[in-house]
Amino acid sequence: SAESRRLVATGHVVSRLQPRGKAEAKTPPAPVEARAGEMVYEAALREIVYTGEVTIRQGDIKTRSPKATLRLSEDGRDLLSVVAGEPAEIEQGKRRATGARETYTPATETVVIVGDKVVLQDPGQQVEGRTLTFHVGDDKILVDGQEQVRTEAVIRREPPRP
């Protein structure tokens, strides 16, 4: 039956998914490309699990982790979330963030990275906290220390040009 379907692929696996996006959006979201050593698709669970040097790319965002799980909608046609981690690293342009686990939600176009020490680096500054949320396609970032640790921001001045 369709519910018991299971697909396993090993050895330099590459897959591409096209999220549906919002109905009012003028352009569809960029495809999600995943590369890994192994992929397991479980139809009954509506999830795809990638393991082994996993790289997931969508538009200008690239994540790296040892494992990532993609959750699909009930009909299996849309991407609900990507959870990667232990640890997770994300790059967007010149920004780079690291933490224990990250969750990407296409519906809200947000990436949330959590961990005891989440570090965001971009040219000129370094920020640390427990939770970091950034929005796909713009420069807005929210860093939350969750009142357990002091949120730290390190601003580096550019050296004067001769």
Side-chain angles (χ1 to χ4, degrees):
S1 75
E3 284 301 302
S4 63
R5 281 185 307 186
R6 183 172 200 252
L7 172 68
V8 178
T10 59
H12 303 296
V13 177
V14 179
S15 67
R16 283 174 66 92
L17 299 168
Q18 178 62 61
R20 273 191 247 179
K22 298 176 184 142
E24 69 274 11
K26 291 182 177 69
T27 58
V32 174
E33 181 183 273
R35 294 174 180 267
E38 182 175 281
M39 177 193 92
V40 178
Y41 167 61
E42 296 276 1
L45 299 175
R46 296 186 308 278
E47 69 180 27
I48 304 169
V49 178
Y50 297 92
T51 53
E53 294 185 36
V54 181
T55 302
I56 297 176
R57 183 187 300 266
Q58 183 183 30
D60 65 346
I61 293 179
K62 181 174 165 181
T63 67
R64 288 188 195 88
S65 60
K67 181 177 179 181
T69 303
L70 279 64
R71 303 272 311 155
L72 304 175
S73 60
E74 203 160 321
D75 63 7
R77 293 179 168 204
D78 205 12
L79 179 61
L80 298 179
S81 68
V82 178
V83 177
E86 304 292 336
E89 176 184 298
I90 186 164
E91 287 178 23
Q92 182 183 38
K94 294 182 178 182
R95 292 180 182 163
R96 184 171 166 268
T98 55
R101 190 176 67 254
E102 84 177 49
T103 303
Y104 168 57
T105 308
T108 58
E109 293 193 307
T110 57
V111 180
V112 178
I113 303 174
V114 299
D116 288 338
K117 184 177 180 181
V118 177
V119 179
L120 168 70
Q121 293 175 306
D122 68 20
Q125 69 177 341
Q126 177 172 312
V127 181
E128 294 181 10
R130 287 285 181 102
T131 303
L132 184 145
T133 304
F134 68 92
H135 299 262
V136 177
D138 69 29
D139 290 333
K140 190 163 53 173
I141 299 175
L142 174 66
V143 180
D144 183 359
Q146 294 184 338
E147 296 171 12
Q148 297 167 33
V149 294
R150 193 180 82 216
T151 299
E152 241 178 75
V154 178
I155 310 298
R156 291 189 188 90
R157 286 179 49 135
E158 292 291 319
R161 293 211 162 95

